[in-house]
Structure formats: structure tokens, C-alpha cells
Amino acid sequence: MFVALVQSTVAKGRITSIDVSAAQAVPGVLAVLTHEDAPRLGDVAEELLVLQSDRVQYAGQPVAVVVAETSEVARDAVGRVVVRYDAQRPDVDLRADRDDLYPPEKLMGGFETDSVIGDVDAALAAAPVSVDVTYETPNEHNNPIEMHATVARWDGDVLRMWDANQGPHNLVPVITEAFGITADQLHITSPYVGGAFGSKAFTHVHQLIAGMAAKVTGRTVKVELTRQQMFSLVGHRTPTIQRLRLGALPDGTMTAISHEVVEHTSQNAEFAEQTATATRLMYAAPARRTTHRLAKLDVPAPTIMRAPGEAPGMYALESAVDELAEALGMDPVELRLRNEPERDPERDVPWSTRNLVACLRQGAERFGWADRDPRPGVRADGRWLVGTGVAASTYPTRRRPSQARIEAVPGKPFVVSIDASDIGTGAWTALTQIAADALGVPMDDVDLRIGDSRLPKASGAGGSTGITSWGPAIIAAAQELRDREVPPGGLTVTGSSGPGDEAEQYSSHAFGAHFAEVRVDRDSGEVRVPRMTAVFAAGRIINPTTARSQFLGGMTMGLSMALHEEAVLDATHGHYANHDLAEYHVATNADVGEVDISWVDEVDELHNPLGAKGIGEVGIVGSAAAIGNAYAHATGRRVRDLPLTPDKFFR
């Protein structure tokens, strides 16, 4: 059976009536669910209470569900459902001068909302050189190529789901609570995922709709979101307004950093992206302050998107650092090198193998930075203005509790089981490789099983924690097995791993340095990026081929962020006006020129037994800023609101 959604055409208000009679009369329709008759859900977050009341909180909210024998019949019936609303004008306007901005209790990831070290205002006032600039980033959407989809079936009191997600165990607490079942009554399978970027990390309404529709009809049902529906139902990166104030001595020594962030959240969920947290560690100013304020708007709930916080936050910080370098008349690479901190300034603990300096120096050499003319707007190639830019990159390296199981039977491959998730990152390959190395056998002798809630519990794929969490668990199980004699009937062992004392004793991060060349057409404003160079410090690289693809993917998303991506909210109706890939533009092959990727020789066994660090996100963090800085160098004009579309050249 197939499910189609009736979505609200208003962004704020209440449903006054729903007429489903015409839809129910269509041959092949099994059921039409509304808030009046849908199954009641348990105690789940407000943004997941789908079809539970007449309240409308964002445009595109599901207000009815059609279940039919074919997808064509379901879509036809959707158009026959008549919904009337008592609509109100939505508030979707994010401004820094709103009088209802408020500080969240905590940021996403558990970070403190604000941080203050020293007397920032006094240090800024006393600084001989300073900059005071505001940068803005727009709504952005994850848009994995594979649409979000769920197949659900009830086998008695057991709910079986085949779903595209970033870790089946991530969904278990919410879905069991929603349907009043135990973990043993839920089986989620997700071995292959066609992209995610954060949008498939958590439970969304379509997964609950699948369970509800299967329950009501007693049939196997399929919910597949359309590209347009993904713009309202599976989250987005919040827009930001970021004020940066930097103070420095004439020699480039930073004396003060202030980073104030304004972003939006939804009426039915508080999501506070940790946008300025990277600023708390990057540079060695003795006075520093970061703040985060939210506007609660009539929009869909935001969620994580690749490098949440660091991607927009480091874009603003690294652009402001470039502006400070201009004010000082100083090389921007040297400014960054001069201000590298030796310890985590917030926690007063040493770094675990910090290599930002090596990344900057090696990147500058590979890119040919020494040949750069420091004067903006002086190079041209016909009608093309040419510039180069640099930005630093960082992302925290963490590991989360995970468990693995290994089954050994003489004469058969080792069965290695862990509820890890491959979202296109090469986890199938890397985990097989790790298991084979730990067991001392060829990769062909490892039968890896992942993506199933019935397997040993592991952390989800997100936050660059996958391999650093799953790999040590597999190693622990392998060590347990190697200490035992395998009997003729076989042997099963388990291993677990998670953060230890090192998480409190050291501050661990991956780092990188991005360099970009940008060309801007002086007649049309078109922007091209013919080459990018990046060098990373990310611990031991488990598989160079998949690692390069990860870095390349992150850099390409940063390029897309810089040049294209922007979801536009209709201020009157509260919906995303460009809710498809025809008008929400993303980078394609034609946008990506020569990409030079390398990494420093680093093994960080303080962080985990593998000596590895996460690489999924550090690649995106600095690339947008490097491109923006190169754009300013090429044109002599600083554009402080992304993306760098052609029209902004003529403002």
C-alpha cells in the first residue's frame, strides 16, 4: 500500500474542517486519516505529534494521510481532500533587532549558550586595530539524492520498518514511545542509505505516519517523501546573523574576539545550533565572548546539517579574520599562524595533537600562496577578475558508546555485527578493513553486518563520530576473541568502547586549511572556482580512497554553500518558495574545478585506539570562507551574505 500526504497550505492557524468523503470514494483508497481519527501517539516531542490536533504550526505540515493500493491513486485522492483553515499571518522574519530574541538553555550538543573570558568590551575599545562586521547565512537544506522513505508493517504487536536513516538505534526510543511498544517489538533495518547529511539522523513525522497507516490498514505500507516535501518535513540548517568584532595589536596579535549569533527555531521545537562554538577555541585572544540568541518563528523545525554550527560559524569567523588581515596590511596566513592557541582556552586542557600550523604551511606551499599579489582586484584574465583566499577549518573529534559482536566458527568467515550505518561514507569498506586487521585475517574472511536495530547497539552516523566510535568496539571484540580458543561449535564474543578519561584530560579536534582561487566575470557577475587546495590533520587515515572522497564531498558542499544554496521563505505565506532542485541550486560537476587534497601524518591514540579522527565534516567547514575571501580579493568587494550569486557583484 502507498501513502500520500495532504499538507497544510497555511503556516499558522487552525483547521476548521476537513472533508475526506471525495477522497474515500476513489476506487483503491483504503483509508484517509486526519487529526479526528488517527491513532493517538505517546509522549513524543511536539514537532512529531502528527495528526494529533487541529493546530497548524508551519507550511507543509501534514494534515491528512491517504492510504491506497497504488501511489497514483493515493496522489489523486490527496487532491480531493478539502481542508479549511482559520489562518493567521505567519512570522518568519529573522532580524537581529527583534525584541523577542532569547537565549536557549543549552545549545545543540550540550554546549553552553554563551561564553566569556576577560573584559571583551574594554579590550575591543583599547585595540589599535579592529573590525566590526556582520555576516549572514541563509536557510539551507540537506537534500540527499535518495529521498526519505519508510516501509512499515505490523506483525502482530511487532512493528517492522525498512527505513533510510543514519542509525536504527537513534529511532528506537521515539518510535517505541510513540506506539507504546518495547524495543523488542520494534525491528528497523537500514543497511544502505543514499546520502543524509544530518537529515536522516533523527525521527521525522513520515516514519510515524508509516507506522500509523500500517496499524490502521493492517497492511504493509510505503511512505516516500517527494523532493518538495523534504523542504518542510525533514529539517534544514537555520539561517544566521553573526556579528564579529575583532581587536588586534599592529603586529597582528589578537586581543579580543566577540561573536554574537542570531538564528531561528520553530514554534514546536527548540533547536539551537552551536554556531559560535568553534570561535571559542580557534585563536589565542585573551578576551573573548560568544553568544547565541533565538527567534521562535512559524517555520518547520531545523535540524543538523553537515558540520552543524561550525560550517556557518567558521564562515563568518574566517571571513572576519580575513578582514582584520586587510585592516592590518598583513598576510592572512601569517595572521592565523601568529594567533594559534596552545591550549583549549575554555577548558584549560592541552590539545591532543594539534596540527593547524602544519596544515596552513603545507597548504600554502601546495597552493602557491607565496606568489599571491596581496592587493585586491589587481589580477585579471580578460573579463575575469582573479583572486585567491584562505580559511582555517576545525571540527571536534568525539567518540560515543558502541558495541560490536563477532561470531567465529572454524572454517567460516568471521561474522562481525554492529548497528553502524553507511550513509555513503564507505563504512562498509572501512569497518571490514578494521575488523580484518584486528582479527589478522584477509578482508574476504569478514562478513560484516550493519544497519539493523537487532544488532549490537552503536552510535549513529553523525558528528564525525562513526569510525572513531565503531572501530574501537570492533577492535575490543576482536581482542576478546583472540584471547580465547574457538571450539568446534564456534564462539561468540562482544566488545564495547566509548569515551574515557581522555575526554576530560584533552581537547581533541581535527583541523584543516583551505585555499581557493576564484574568478568573477566583470560583465555578468558569474563566479567560478577553478581550483581548491586543502590539507587536513585528522589522525590516522583508515582508507585513503574513501577518505579523499569524504574530504572532496565536504569541500564540494562548502563550494555549494558559497555559490548557490539558499532556501527563500515567502514572508506572506511562510513556505519555501524554491522547494525543489530546479530552483534550490546545488553544486554540480561543472562547478568543481581542480581539487588538491592531502593530509598531514598524524596518529592520535590519545583520542581512541585507532588513532583516527572523524573526517566527515571538517572538509566543509572552511571551504565557503576560503571562496568568499578569494571573491573579495578578486573584486575588492566584500559580500557578507551568502550565497555569492551574480547579482551581488553589482550591488
Side-chain angles (χ1 to χ4, degrees), residues 123-136:
L124 285 169
V129 183
S130 64
V131 296
D132 184 345
V133 291
T134 298
Y135 279 82
E136 298 184 20

Side-chain angles (χ1 to χ4, degrees), residues 89 118 149 175 202 209 251 259 378 436:
R89 185 181 178 90
I175 294 176
F202 307 122
I209 287 172
D251 67 355
H259 190 169
V378 299

Side-chain angles (χ1 to χ4, degrees), residues 142-149 163-167 189-200 224 227 230 421-426 428 461 557 581:
N142 310 57
N143 273 314
I145 293 301
E146 177 203 43
M147 253 74 86
H148 291 240
D163 182 69
N165 61 68
Q166 291 177 236
T189 303
S190 183
Y192 303 101
V193 181
F197 312 120
S199 69
K200 297 174 182 173
E224 181 179 0
R227 179 65 59 185
M230 286 167 57
S421 183
D422 193 329
I423 56 176
T425 54
W428 278 103
M557 286 192 75
L581 294 183

Side-chain angles (χ1 to χ4, degrees), residues 32 63 106 114 132 174 190 212 224 226 241 249 335 347 385 414 442 497:
V32 181
V63 294
K106 287 280 187 181
D114 299 340
D132 184 345
V174 175
S190 183
M212 295 162 71
E224 181 179 0
T226 65
I241 302 171
L249 301 177
L335 177 61
R347 301 173 60 200
L385 304 173
F414 293 91
S497 179

Side-chain angles (χ1 to χ4, degrees), residues 141 143 226-232 567-568 575-584:
H141 283 75
N143 273 314
T226 65
R227 179 65 59 185
Q228 291 83 358
Q229 289 170 342
M230 286 167 57
F231 277 76
S232 56
V568 179
H575 71 277
Y576 289 107
N578 56 333
H579 56 296
D580 55 42
L581 294 183
E583 295 184 87
Y584 180 94

Side-chain angles (χ1 to χ4, degrees), residues 1-330:
M1 297 297 107
F2 295 83
V3 174
L5 309 181
V6 179
Q7 295 178 273
S8 171
T9 57
V10 306
K12 183 178 183 180
R14 291 193 177 276
I15 301 168
T16 58
S17 67
I18 297 183
D19 184 355
V20 301
S21 57
Q24 289 174 326
V26 175
V29 170
L30 275 69
V32 181
L33 306 181
T34 72
H35 70 278
E36 297 173 344
D37 56 11
R40 299 298 91 182
L41 297 175
D43 185 18
V44 297
E46 185 180 356
E47 73 268 24
L48 295 175
L49 289 174
V50 61
L51 304 183
Q52 301 297 290
S53 77
D54 62 358
R55 187 180 180 189
V56 175
Q57 295 180 298
Y58 60 92
Q61 175 181 320
V63 294
V65 168
V66 175
V67 188
E69 293 176 350
T70 69
S71 59
E72 293 81 5
V73 169
R75 290 196 299 269
D76 175 47
V78 159
R80 300 171 188 266
V81 176
V82 180
V83 187
R84 293 184 174 86
Y85 305 92
D86 176 14
Q88 302 174 41
R89 185 181 178 90
D91 180 5
V92 297
D93 185 20
L94 180 66
R95 306 187 318 275
D97 62 352
R98 293 179 63 108
D99 60 9
D100 60 350
L101 299 176
Y102 71 95
E105 184 176 342
K106 287 280 187 181
L107 303 178
M108 202 274 292
F111 293 98
E112 294 296 326
T113 302
D114 299 340
S115 67
V116 180
I117 297 175
D119 190 336
V120 179
D121 292 329
L124 285 169
V129 183
S130 64
V131 296
D132 184 345
V133 291
T134 298
Y135 279 82
E136 298 184 20
T137 60
N139 285 271
E140 296 169 356
H141 283 75
N142 310 57
N143 273 314
I145 293 301
E146 177 203 43
M147 253 74 86
H148 291 240
T150 304
V151 175
R153 181 182 72 227
W154 286 87
D155 295 329
D157 62 355
V158 174
L159 176 57
R160 184 80 166 90
M161 303 183 83
W162 296 262
D163 182 69
N165 61 68
Q166 291 177 236
H169 270 94
N170 283 358
L171 279 58
V172 169
V174 175
I175 294 176
T176 54
E177 182 66 35
F179 293 105
I181 57 179
T182 67
D184 290 340
Q185 293 173 290
L186 177 63
H187 187 186
I188 304 173
T189 303
S190 183
Y192 303 101
V193 181
F197 312 120
S199 69
K200 297 174 182 173
F202 307 122
T203 308
H204 296 297
V205 294
H206 70 279
Q207 291 148 331
L208 300 184
I209 287 172
M212 295 162 71
K215 190 75 168 178
V216 168
T217 62
R219 310 284 286 275
T220 300
V221 304
K222 179 179 181 180
V223 179
E224 181 179 0
L225 299 185
T226 65
R227 179 65 59 185
Q228 291 83 358
Q229 289 170 342
M230 286 167 57
F231 277 76
S232 56
L233 297 181
V234 294
H236 60 277
R237 194 195 299 278
T238 175
T240 69
I241 302 171
Q242 304 178 57
R243 184 185 182 191
L244 271 296
R245 286 177 284 172
L246 309 179
L249 301 177
D251 67 355
T253 301
M254 289 189 194
T255 57
I257 300 175
S258 177
H259 190 169
E260 303 162 62
V261 179
V262 174
E263 52 201 26
H264 82 204
T265 189
S266 65
Q267 294 288 350
N268 61 4
E270 181 174 282
F271 182 88
E273 188 156 330
Q274 68 277 32
T275 304
T277 53
T279 301
R280 299 174 183 177
L281 65 97
M282 277 302 294
Y283 299 111
R288 60 181 62 234
R289 174 177 59 217
T290 66
T291 66
H292 298 79
R293 298 295 180 266
L294 297 182
K296 191 178 286 288
L297 303 182
D298 301 311
V299 297
T303 193
I304 59 174
M305 181 170 169
R306 196 173 197 169
E310 277 78 5
M314 284 288 284
Y315 163 72
L317 173 65
E318 289 300 293
S319 298
V321 169
D322 214 62
E323 296 205 55
L324 180 62
E326 293 173 14
L328 289 162
M330 187 173 182

